[in-house]
Amino acid sequence: MLKVRTAAGRLAVEGNACRRGLSYAQEEVLNPRRVLTTTVPVVGGKRPVVPVRSVAPIPKESIPQALSELRQLFVRAPVKVHQVIAQSVAGTGIAVVATWPVLAIEAEEEVQREKEAG
Amino acid sequence: MVVIGGGPAGLAAAHAATEAGARVTLLDRHPELGGVLPQCIHPGFGLKLYKEELTGPEYAWRWIAQLGEVQVFVETMVFAIEPGLRVWASSAEQGVLAIDCRALVLAMGCRERTRGMLGIAGTRPAGIMTAGTAQRLVNIYGLMPGKRVAILGSGDIGMIMARRLAWEGAQVVGVFEIMPYLCGLRRNYVQCLLDCGIPLHLSHTVIRVNGAKRLSSITVAPVDERLRPQAARAFEVEADTLLLSVGLIPENELTLAIGAELDPATRGPVVTSRMETSVPGVFAAGNVVHVHDLADDVSIAGQTAGQWAAAYACGGSSPGGKRLRIRPDANVRAVVPQLLVLPDVLEQGASLLLRAGCHHEGPCSLELVDAEKEQVLASKELPYARPAEMIHWWIPPRAARHLDRASQLLARIRVGR
Ligand SMILES: Cc1cc2nc3c(=O)[nH]c(=O)nc-3n(C[C@H](O)[C@H](O)[C@H](O)COP(=O)(O)OP(=O)(O)OC[C@H]3O[C@@H](n4cnc5c(N)ncnc54)[C@H](O)[C@@H]3O)c2cc1C
């Protein structure tokens, strides 16, 4: 178990098994960040949504803002892995990219789908 | 060689076998490779193998991109295996396929436990599903399963879905766990439940589901120390959706059909340190053998299975040598592999994966004991023992020398000194 004590504005970390644990503990207390992952709708794709991620962790409190920005978006198929979906979310300067490829459906398939959807 | 299942286990096995010179056919019933990973869109994969934090789809994509000269059939379901190793599969495109092979890798993954297996009383409304089904609905099909969600079981998939649904605007009313401790990883408790303010109720279970067409509420009760629900203290929680995250079971139909011995503790096939089952030439890896916490470990097991299956396919049979059985004993629920091939272990060491059968926050020691002489032959200190976290034990060749004396080993965890 990780233990973090704060004294006189400094952090003392105990119980970390490696250096990653040390930096994780410091980050988690001072500036908690998370990698944001969600899905974005795809138009004309073999799948209706594509999974996306922020390329780096973003501040925890920016997550709601980032999610609501991503909710406004859609992408057109084909989508490639690591294609940029948004240049920057929630004013962080951190980009959001696709994490899985989505192939485009053939033109006739698309017509068929639209018909079925009414 | 044939590999059944295109998840991380099958991908790693197919890749390693091809590298070792075998001709490999990989079969999966889904339209896309990657197994369950394409739906696990959250980060937390690859820390061990790649030293970076990948999402499930990215992790799967790395393996798919480097697969190499493997013949792949997707949307192809294997429905039977005959002795002498003929694999029967069917697909809309190919019709029925019969593939003869010299060696086979089982990599079919696992299945989630369902409401039927829990026997929860009540009506049969819509809105009750496994956490993995909800994960597939949201992340692959872009559909929300409901608006007010309760989760039974504190497994990882349940906690991850709690956050996912909260982020998508659902109200997640709580996670109910029958055990007095968390069943998934602590990291997920912090980043999924605490971050989103979702309450976790330990020692609570769902005793009844209510609602006619659609779930309207669940009845929750605390349990006593013997896990018996206290009906007198039950309360109702409004919810239109109940997700079950109550455990996984290896996908066993094909394993049983070829007559491989099963381990009642893991509920998957008994395997050697080469990942070979009791049927010669049939290897297995990943969640079909036992449920893993991390996809990285699944890939590593897949590589081992692929390498040895390729050696078998190219050479005809597994080289002999003493096989040493390990059985779970005090405070250990399961050990994989169940059999050590001694010549290999003396040369390369042994890698054991164990599940603790007890929950103990504090130092304890893991031991391999000679079953007859009750003598400790190898040991390892642990900071704690938690059933939710797989224990990895690497025994180097030098330490493995001592194991040679025994004819059977017991794996135990000794609590307290
Ligand atoms: C629903 C679910 C969600 C999960 N989420 C996470 C998570 O978020 N994080 C995490 O670390 N771990 C997660 N896991 C654990 C995860 O499954 C493992 O880490 C890893 O993916 C297991 O790899 P595998 O190759 O053994 O099995 P899988 O990835 O399950 O792959 C097995 C493949 O075999 C195919 N198959 C099965 N039977 C047949 C047949 N008869 N014919 C043809 N093909 C067949 C299946 O279609 C599937 O594609 C999850 C597991 C499940 C079941």
Side-chain angles (χ1 to χ4, degrees), chain B residues 5 8-9 28-30 35-36 40 42 45 78 108-109 135 157 287 293:
Chain B
D28 199 294
R29 61 187 174 195
H30 280 307
V36 83
C40 302
H42 57 278
F45 298 83
V78 175
M108 290 94 68
Q135 192 178 42
I157 313 168
N287 281 358
D293 302 338

Side-chain angles (χ1 to χ4, degrees), chain B residues 3-12 26-45 56 59 73 75-80 88-90 106-112 130-136 156-158 160-161 185 187-188 247-249 251 253-254 285-299:
Chain B
V3 177
I4 307 174
L11 288 169
L26 174 64
L27 309 168
D28 199 294
R29 61 187 174 195
H30 280 307
E32 296 175 316
L33 289 179
V36 83
L37 296 180
Q39 76 183 54
C40 302
I41 67 165
H42 57 278
F45 298 83
Y59 182 88
F73 292 108
E75 293 191 287
T76 304
M77 169 92 180
V78 175
F79 59 87
W88 288 93
S90 79
L106 306 175
M108 290 94 68
C110 61
R111 223 180 250 189
E112 296 175 280
T130 65
T133 301
Q135 192 178 42
R136 199 163 185 81
D156 290 312
I157 313 168
I160 279 167
M161 284 316 292
L185 301 177
R187 174 180 81 188
N188 285 331
L248 304 165
I249 302 169
E251 179 83 55
E253 269 80 24
L254 296 172
N287 281 358
V288 80
V289 174
H290 64 144
V291 177
H292 292 67
D293 302 338
L294 296 175
D296 301 52
D297 294 325
V298 170
S299 298

Side-chain angles (χ1 to χ4, degrees), chain B residues 295-309:
Chain B
D296 301 52
D297 294 325
V298 170
S299 298
I300 294 167
Q303 285 173 321
T304 306
Q307 279 155 5
W308 286 107

Side-chain angles (χ1 to χ4, degrees), chain B residues 241-274:
Chain B
T241 306
L242 175 64
L243 302 190
L244 307 174
S245 181
V246 288
L248 304 165
I249 302 169
E251 179 83 55
N252 276 327
E253 269 80 24
L254 296 172
T255 315
L256 283 171
I258 49 162
E261 181 191 349
L262 287 198
D263 179 342
T266 58
R267 304 170 135 214
V270 169
V271 290
T272 68
S273 42
R274 296 174 174 178

Side-chain angles (χ1 to χ4, degrees), chain B residues 137-338:
Chain B
L137 285 176
V138 182
N139 293 343
I140 307 258
Y141 301 109
L143 301 169
M144 280 293 278
K147 294 196 176 79
R148 222 182 127 82
V149 184
I151 298 174
L152 177 59
S154 61
D156 290 312
I157 313 168
M159 291 195 284
I160 279 167
M161 284 316 292
R163 175 179 65 183
R164 181 79 181 105
L165 294 172
W167 278 0
E168 286 297 318
Q171 198 179 349
V172 182
V173 294
V175 174
F176 302 94
E177 169 59 58
I178 191 168
M179 303 306 285
Y181 50 80
L182 188 74
C183 285
L185 301 177
R186 213 142 277 237
R187 174 180 81 188
N188 285 331
Y189 170 65
V190 174
Q191 302 196 353
C192 299
L193 302 190
L194 285 186
D195 271 15
C196 298
I198 297 165
L200 169 67
H201 303 269
L202 296 175
S203 298
H204 279 74
T205 193
V206 174
I207 56 170
R208 185 170 198 88
V209 294
N210 315 300
K213 280 205 171 118
R214 178 82 197 192
L215 184 70
S216 59
S217 70
I218 56 175
T219 309
V220 174
V223 298
D224 65 11
E225 62 287 347
R226 287 167 64 195
L227 306 184
R228 288 172 308 196
Q230 305 298 291
R233 290 165 59 205
F235 53 96
E236 232 174 277
V237 177
E238 228 179 276
D240 63 8
T241 306
L242 175 64
L243 302 190
L244 307 174
S245 181
V246 288
L248 304 165
I249 302 169
E251 179 83 55
N252 276 327
E253 269 80 24
L254 296 172
T255 315
L256 283 171
I258 49 162
E261 181 191 349
L262 287 198
D263 179 342
T266 58
R267 304 170 135 214
V270 169
V271 290
T272 68
S273 42
R274 296 174 174 178
M275 304 309 288
E276 189 172 13
T277 68
S278 63
V279 181
V282 178
F283 296 75
N287 281 358
V288 80
V289 174
H290 64 144
V291 177
H292 292 67
D293 302 338
L294 296 175
D296 301 52
D297 294 325
V298 170
S299 298
I300 294 167
Q303 285 173 321
T304 306
Q307 279 155 5
W308 286 107
Y312 189 99
C314 301
S317 74
S318 296
K322 180 171 161 187
R323 280 157 167 72
L324 192 55
R325 182 93 187 204
I326 312 175
R327 293 192 185 275
D329 199 52
N331 295 328
V332 173
R333 203 169 72 210
V335 191
V336 174
Q338 294 86 346

Side-chain angles (χ1 to χ4, degrees), chain B residues 79-100:
Chain B
F79 59 87
I81 309 170
E82 277 177 43
L85 296 189
R86 170 171 291 181
V87 174
W88 288 93
S90 79
S91 82
E93 213 171 283
Q94 309 280 333
V96 172
L97 290 165
I99 309 170
D100 290 315

